Amino acid sequence: MDATAPLTKAKYPRSLIAGPYGHPFHAIAIILPIGAWVSASVFDVLFLTADDGSAFALGARILIAVGLLGAVVAAILGLIDWSSIPKGTAARATGSTHMVINFIAMAIYTGSLVLRLDTDVVPTLAMIASFVGLALLSVSGWLGGKLAHTYGVRVATETTQAEGLEPLP
């Protein structure tokens, strides 16, 4: 099929930076911020339960910063993928919502990080912000799954998929 046809346009990378056909780098890049932010929340809880939680407070602060750096890379890659989705489609609207929620989560995590600077404790508001960020990431992740698994954005065409399901000679 023609890679510029509306039904397949979003399946092909707009740029080599986005990853090859059928292997989008955005899906790989999101692992770092999600893992870092989930781990930061675990460290926040450990901070509450430890006798001296300063190491956990520091660890959470570092993990949030690492997550933000990773989120910038993931956002750039996601923006490249989003830009290939045809305008005026449900997939484009879903992608836009996914992107906005992620930018809000990044802003919340930035605020959480700022609240944690110059302290050996985890301020309550910073911890609440991190958990709100995780909740937003959960919604955004569901939307990202909808983009890939329902709408097939950056997923190989059904013809390519069928090749992998045919019996081997």
Side-chain angles (χ1 to χ4, degrees), residues 19-102:
Y21 169 74
H23 294 279
F25 291 156
H26 176 69
I28 297 167
I30 63 170
I31 294 168
L32 178 67
I34 292 171
W37 291 336
V38 168
S39 298
S41 291
V42 170
F43 275 33
D44 283 350
V45 172
L46 291 172
F47 167 81
L48 292 174
T49 62
D51 290 333
D52 178 12
S54 60
F56 294 118
L58 174 61
R61 188 166 58 241
I62 291 169
L63 285 164
I64 289 171
V66 167
L68 284 167
L69 292 173
V72 169
V73 173
I76 291 167
L77 295 171
L79 187 60
I80 293 169
D81 288 346
W82 173 83
S83 69
S84 69
I85 302 171
K87 294 178 182 174
T89 62
R92 180 75 171 226
T94 301
S96 297
T97 303
H98 172 74
M99 179 172 37
V100 168
I101 291 171
N102 283 328

Side-chain angles (χ1 to χ4, degrees), residues 44 47-48 112 115-116 121-131:
D44 283 350
F47 167 81
L48 292 174
S112 179
L115 291 169
R116 295 164 189 263
V121 300
V122 177
T124 302
L125 185 57
M127 189 179 304
I128 291 169
S130 290
F131 283 107

Side-chain angles (χ1 to χ4, degrees), residues 86-151:
K87 294 178 182 174
T89 62
R92 180 75 171 226
T94 301
S96 297
T97 303
H98 172 74
M99 179 172 37
V100 168
I101 291 171
N102 283 328
F103 285 142
I104 292 169
M106 288 171 67
I108 288 171
Y109 275 108
T110 300
S112 179
L113 181 61
V114 168
L115 291 169
R116 295 164 189 263
L117 295 177
D118 297 325
T119 182
D120 288 338
V121 300
V122 177
T124 302
L125 185 57
M127 189 179 304
I128 291 169
S130 290
F131 283 107
V132 169
L134 282 182
L136 288 172
L137 286 177
S138 297
V139 172
S140 175
W142 182 81
L143 292 172
K146 185 174 183 179
L147 284 168
H149 301 292
T150 301
Y151 299 134

